[in-house]
Amino acid sequence: MPAELTCFDDRCRARFPITEVIYNCPRCGGLLEVAYPPPAAAPAALKRTWRERRVSNAPLEQSGVWRYREIIPFLESFARVVTLREGNTPLLPAPQAASYAGLDALTFKHQGFNPTGSFKDNGMTCGVAQALRLGMSRVACVSTGNTSASMAAYASAAGLDPIVFIPHGNISYGKLAQALEYGATTLQVEANFDQILALVRTLSERLGIYLLNSINPFRIEGQKTIIVEMLDQRDWNPPDWIVLPGGNLGNTSAFGKALRELHTQGFISRMPRLAVIQAAGAAPFYDLVRTPARGFRAVEHPDTLATAIKIGDPVSWPKALREVACSDGVVEKVSEQEIADAKAVIGRCGIGCEPASAATLAGIRKLTVSGAMASHADVVAVLTGNLLKDPDYIYRYHTGKLEAPDGTAIQPRFGNQPTVLPNDADRIAAFLQR
Ligand code: F0G
């Protein structure tokens, strides 16, 4: 059986050729996923091959996505793959963050080390490869900023035309600047992420533009390699927990799919648990998991300073729900103050990240307090975006000017004010000796 698209809904499971340009099941409207038979080679042999490829200078082997291509075999040929050497992100121990969150130890998998500064690059190299295979010339996405930066870079590198839709005034300048610099046609629309996604889906169909939001199942395949690389870096010892922020829930879907496949195929002997953390002002998935009887209810006016996860109607929630259940996972929500403080603590570790990423540490802190996560647990938290994505937020926090969307002042509990001094050695010396 070659690679296929299958409907994710268990009641349907319809199958379609891998080259069909569809984002939902044409029969039932369900989400789609890429399915293949397990790799022909045994896990031990593949683990050796993947390790050996790390020393190669070949572009495909230098990619932290395509190095693991046996796990994502949807292409017949790799000749047109465009890689910016995505992935290859470090595992960083963070003792200060661990003690802040009530853990003995904590490791960050920092996806902000990617070429465009976020985990989106892992998925985008795959989405763009599929666009090329399908003969598409234009690609589009709506984005809270990182997807657009990543799509703009990979599409331009591949000679495609990127068209980016963003909620006007609601993404950080760092991310908007990237879309402009990488040459995307950039449309700032007066609506929120969820509303624009519906718009972009209509326009993509009408104009024959390839849609590269995370509803695109090939993006999900690429994001699986974040987990594969992390396990490779840990010599295939699975952690107890993998913690990540939840917005549109594509990454939760990707991580869960990777873990299930690796477990079923014998790469790992047990499943880590997923902990998905949402911002309290944009937490429909948290609400669903807490009160399943109410069913999924979108948040009509999501709001958080962590603009990357300011999403009220995440498309991938059915997949994410299955992955949380399969991994015996949990979902937590955190306040603006908790995110801001956690972010500053991650900064003090010399690591740093963007606000959405810091929801992980804030969430872990709550989970250890409630007893859901043991202090001795082996935990990997995924930092999804680079510190420099949103410097405005950082400056405001440290100078005591950051306000939550409802106007509440955020206390700079870990604030670090810059000091203005005259050009005078004595005065500066006195200041430093105080
Ligand atoms: N962290 C960062 C830095 C993000 O940019 C996003 C999503 C998430 C977490 C949440 O990931 O959607 O897979 O649950 N950003 C998207 C974008 C929506 O448009 O860049 P998710």
Side-chain angles (χ1 to χ4, degrees), residues 324-394:
V324 166
C326 283
S327 73
D328 191 22
V330 298
V331 183
E332 187 51 272
K333 67 175 178 183
V334 288
S335 70
E336 297 296 314
Q337 181 73 51
E338 288 168 325
I339 293 174
D341 290 336
K343 189 175 128 49
V345 170
I346 296 168
R348 292 279 176 96
C349 297
I351 292 175
C353 64
E354 69 163 282
S357 310
T360 53
L361 184 65
I364 294 168
R365 194 163 194 247
K366 282 185 91 166
L367 292 169
T368 58
V369 168
S370 72
M373 188 180 280
S375 61
H376 56 77
D378 180 354
V379 183
V380 174
V382 178
L383 299 180
T384 43
N386 191 288
L387 170 136
L388 291 172
K389 289 278 189 177
D390 197 352
D392 184 58
Y393 179 106
I394 303 174

Side-chain angles (χ1 to χ4, degrees), residues 120 193-194 197 213-215 246-251 253 278 308-309 311 313-317 320:
K120 306 289 181 181
F193 177 93
D194 308 302
L197 181 55
N213 275 101
S214 59
I215 193 163
N248 216 15
L249 300 172
N251 223 18
S253 312
Q278 296 208 287
I309 50 174
I311 294 174
D313 194 5
V315 278
S316 292
W317 73 261

Side-chain angles (χ1 to χ4, degrees), residues 390-414:
D390 197 352
D392 184 58
Y393 179 106
I394 303 174
Y395 182 76
R396 285 175 189 273
Y397 175 82
H398 287 290
T399 54
K401 292 182 189 132
L402 193 64
E403 279 184 4
D406 67 1
T408 315
I410 305 275
Q411 300 308 315
R413 295 197 182 120
F414 300 89

Side-chain angles (χ1 to χ4, degrees), residues 101-405:
L103 290 175
D104 298 343
L106 172 62
T107 307
F108 289 120
K109 171 83 172 147
H110 205 328
Q111 292 302 111
F113 281 62
N114 260 298
T116 77
S118 86
F119 72 97
K120 306 289 181 181
D121 294 345
N122 284 65
M124 206 51 78
T125 184
C126 289
V128 164
Q130 180 69 5
L132 288 170
R133 170 212 220 157
L134 296 171
M136 295 289 179
S137 57
R138 291 195 291 178
V139 292
C141 69
V142 52
S143 179
T144 56
N146 282 321
T147 299
S148 48
S150 184
M151 190 191 79
Y154 281 84
S156 289
L160 301 172
D161 277 342
I163 306 168
V164 154
F165 291 75
I166 49 181
H168 185 38
N170 272 297
I171 77 166
S172 72
Y173 272 117
K175 299 171 189 177
L176 175 58
Q178 285 182 289
L180 300 176
E181 188 83 352
Y182 296 134
T185 301
T186 304
L187 309 176
Q188 299 180 277
V189 182
E190 308 268 353
N192 70 25
F193 177 93
D194 308 302
Q195 295 158 334
I196 304 173
L197 181 55
L199 181 76
V200 177
R201 293 190 62 165
T202 310
L203 285 169
S204 305
E205 204 155 309
R206 192 190 297 175
L207 303 174
I209 303 171
Y210 194 55
L211 185 65
L212 279 176
N213 275 101
S214 59
I215 193 163
N216 182 312
F218 299 94
R219 288 253 329 264
I220 301 297
E221 290 306 297
Q223 286 170 215
K224 281 184 349 193
T225 62
I226 299 168
I227 295 296
V228 182
E229 183 179 79
M230 184 256 281
L231 290 165
D232 185 6
Q233 290 165 319
R234 291 173 52 101
D235 298 324
W236 299 93
N237 288 315
D240 297 321
W241 290 92
I242 298 172
V243 188
L244 75 163
N248 216 15
L249 300 172
N251 223 18
T252 306
S253 312
F255 286 13
K257 185 171 192 268
L259 292 170
R260 279 187 295 108
E261 290 175 353
L262 292 168
H263 188 235
T264 317
Q265 294 164 13
F267 286 87
I268 48 173
S269 54
R270 65 186 175 84
M271 287 277 283
R273 301 174 70 183
L274 290 175
V276 182
I277 318 296
Q278 296 208 287
F285 189 53
Y286 169 87
D287 293 340
L288 173 68
V289 171
R290 275 299 147 109
T291 46
R294 287 174 68 225
F296 177 79
R297 291 195 193 173
V299 171
E300 209 176 321
H301 301 292
D303 221 349
T304 168
L305 298 175
T307 49
I309 50 174
K310 188 171 165 178
I311 294 174
D313 194 5
V315 278
S316 292
W317 73 261
K319 285 185 177 177
L321 188 62
R322 176 177 71 181
E323 303 308 351
V324 166
C326 283
S327 73
D328 191 22
V330 298
V331 183
E332 187 51 272
K333 67 175 178 183
V334 288
S335 70
E336 297 296 314
Q337 181 73 51
E338 288 168 325
I339 293 174
D341 290 336
K343 189 175 128 49
V345 170
I346 296 168
R348 292 279 176 96
C349 297
I351 292 175
C353 64
E354 69 163 282
S357 310
T360 53
L361 184 65
I364 294 168
R365 194 163 194 247
K366 282 185 91 166
L367 292 169
T368 58
V369 168
S370 72
M373 188 180 280
S375 61
H376 56 77
D378 180 354
V379 183
V380 174
V382 178
L383 299 180
T384 43
N386 191 288
L387 170 136
L388 291 172
K389 289 278 189 177
D390 197 352
D392 184 58
Y393 179 106
I394 303 174
Y395 182 76
R396 285 175 189 273
Y397 175 82
H398 287 290
T399 54
K401 292 182 189 132
L402 193 64
E403 279 184 4

